Amino acid sequence: AVPLLVLCLQEPELSLKRIAASTMGEICKHSPELAQVVVDQSGVPFIAQLVTHHDSKLKRQVCQCLSQIAKHTVDLAEVVVETEIFTQTKLFSCLKDTDPVVRRNAATCIREVVKHAPELAKLVVNNMGHAAVIDYINKAKGASRLPGIMTLGYIAAFSPTLATILITAQGIRPLKDALINEPEDHIKAASAWSLGQIGRHSPDHAQALAVADVFRRLVEVFENENSSTDLKSKSQRALKSVLQKCTHYKSMEPLLLTAPPKILKYIVGQFAKILSTNPKARKSFVQSKGLQKIQELKLSGNNDLLQYIDVINKKFPQEIVDYYSPNYAEKLLQKIETNDDDDDVKE
């Protein structure tokens, strides 16, 4: 049947092209073996050339079919790439199509290609596909944003260089917007995951998220009692991976005062590293009431925090640590009473 469907794609009748592309997509979606049948019958080039067709309903089916082929394996994704729909930016122009389904299916196709290998992600980035995807996420709303959001996460995951390119192209902003404003938890979760992939590589990447106020937003999502388990899990993992790289102490100081215990251990652990080598950070830590908060946490008896708190306290003079301890005032009063008793004895 596949050879006949390939012939149908070449017929002038528009409705025939549509149903042929749709049927081939339905065949390809089930397994790599079935997708390979379409490839072996030289169907992919005929499908790909219809990406620039004027009919939106046909382009919907074409983009969907290509994504169903590319999703299975890196080899099948490369077959789609070899049609040059990326190097000639044909597919990227679909992200600006007037039809919202075409835009979403094109974004899905890009996602299914970049997820397989760094070379494929680089190919998309080298042809400015990442900028087109970022623009698409900025303009899309709801579930249509999801494939674009995940595309950025897949690209960023492969290397620090690719993550930096996304940061430079203002890729953090639409991800943060989706995390805050999208009503569906699975879209928020995808945004949290993608943000984590961008920020986890190095202190510079983590700082980009810190400056954009992403940490606070991830904590808010994590603390929200209405958030799904998956959303909370992805938010926590994103915070863990990024905070462990973050050296931008100014952005972490407010979190120390407000973050829940499960997130605090990552923050306190990172401060233990930063304060050991940064005198300016130690001064700021005292001024922001971070040292005071640390002494309060010490009384909580949280074993995960105690080892980090001891490391932090050793970086400050003992009298300063005592001063910010919760029971400091009581100790002073005890000393005064002791001195009064001594004076009475002398008299």
Side-chain angles (χ1 to χ4, degrees):
V2 173
L4 296 176
L5 290 171
V6 175
L7 289 174
C8 290
L9 288 174
Q10 302 169 61
E11 292 293 326
E13 179 62 39
L14 192 55
S15 59
L16 191 59
K17 289 179 183 287
R18 289 175 187 164
I19 196 65
S22 174
T23 303
M24 291 174 79
E26 291 299 312
I27 291 171
C28 294
K29 75 179 183 180
H30 294 289
S31 70
E33 290 77 18
L34 288 173
Q36 189 64 48
V37 172
V38 173
V39 172
D40 292 341
Q41 296 298 324
S42 303
V44 177
F46 290 106
I47 300 168
Q49 70 183 12
L50 296 173
V51 165
T52 56
H53 199 278
H54 63 83
D55 182 67
S56 293
K57 290 183 179 179
L58 176 58
K59 284 191 286 187
R60 290 179 185 179
Q61 303 302 333
V62 167
C63 292
Q64 181 72 4
C65 182
L66 291 172
S67 66
Q68 298 289 12
I69 295 170
K71 73 179 184 180
H72 294 294
T73 67
V74 63
D75 291 335
L76 288 170
E78 286 175 351
V79 171
V80 173
V81 168
E82 286 168 3
T83 63
E84 298 189 344
I85 57 172
F86 291 96
T87 53
Q88 296 180 15
T89 68
K90 294 176 182 177
L91 190 62
F92 302 144
S93 64
C94 289
L95 293 173
K96 297 182 179 180
D97 196 89
T98 54
D99 187 279
V101 180
V102 172
R103 296 196 298 269
R104 186 181 68 219
N105 289 356
T108 302
C109 185
I110 297 168
R111 178 193 69 193
E112 299 298 350
V113 168
V114 301
K115 73 180 185 181
H116 288 293
E119 294 77 18
L120 295 175
K122 287 176 185 176
L123 176 70
V124 169
V125 169
N126 289 341
N127 287 280
M128 296 304 293
H130 66 293
V133 171
I134 290 169
D135 184 57
Y136 166 75
I137 302 171
N138 276 321
K139 294 177 180 177
K141 297 296 178 186
S144 295
R145 277 179 143 180
L146 187 59
I149 289 168
M150 294 185 69
T151 296
L152 296 189
Y154 284 128
I155 292 172
F158 283 120
S159 76
T161 302
L162 290 173
T164 300
I165 290 171
L166 295 185
I167 292 170
T168 305
Q170 304 298 315
I172 292 176
R173 186 182 304 165
L175 296 177
K176 176 187 170 186
D177 179 76
L179 181 70
I180 298 169
N181 296 316
E182 286 298 333
E184 297 292 333
D185 277 6
H186 69 282
I187 300 175
K188 289 176 180 284
S191 301
W193 174 77
S194 291
L195 287 165
Q197 298 306 311
I198 291 174
R200 68 181 176 84
H201 292 287
S202 73
D204 290 337
H205 294 86
Q207 182 169 333
L209 265 64
V211 171
D213 194 29
V214 170
F215 294 164
R216 180 172 66 89
R217 296 299 186 175
L218 285 170
V219 171
E220 286 177 356
V221 168
F222 177 79
E223 284 193 295
N224 190 330
E225 61 182 15
N226 295 321
S227 294
S228 67
T229 303
D230 182 56
L231 175 53
K232 289 187 176 186
S233 174
K234 283 188 169 59
S235 299
Q236 183 177 357
R237 274 185 275 176
L239 282 165
K240 179 182 178 180
S241 61
V242 179
L243 286 171
Q244 288 176 340
K245 295 288 185 179
C246 187
T247 57
H248 192 263
Y249 56 87
K250 289 286 187 182
S251 65
M252 293 195 295
E253 286 170 348
L255 295 180
L256 191 63
L257 305 178
T258 59
K262 287 185 178 180
I263 306 300
L264 266 177
K265 61 183 179 182
Y266 308 132
I267 300 169
V268 176
Q270 192 61 16
F271 268 117
K273 298 176 188 175
I274 296 170
L275 298 176
S276 298
T277 57
N278 193 330
K280 288 184 178 179
R282 290 198 287 271
K283 181 178 179 181
S284 178
F285 192 68
V286 174
Q287 292 173 334
S288 67
K289 297 185 178 180
L291 187 60
Q292 179 178 338
K293 178 65 176 179
I294 286 295
Q295 308 317 312
E296 293 171 2
L297 292 173
K298 190 172 183 178
L299 295 179
S300 68
N302 189 325
N303 292 328
D304 291 336
L305 298 177
L306 289 178
Q307 58 177 330
Y308 299 129
I309 292 172
D310 289 340
V311 171
I312 292 172
N313 283 344
K314 288 177 182 177
K315 301 302 173 184
F316 295 91
Q318 187 59 45
E319 56 268 27
I320 294 180
V321 174
D322 290 341
Y323 178 78
Y324 285 104
S325 297
N327 56 356
Y328 180 68
E330 294 178 9
K331 289 182 178 179
L332 282 180
L333 288 173
Q334 288 176 359
K335 283 186 177 181
I336 293 172
E337 291 174 357
T338 302
N339 288 337
D340 289 343
D341 292 342
D342 290 343
D343 289 342
D344 292 341
V345 171
K346 289 178 182 178
E347 290 178 2

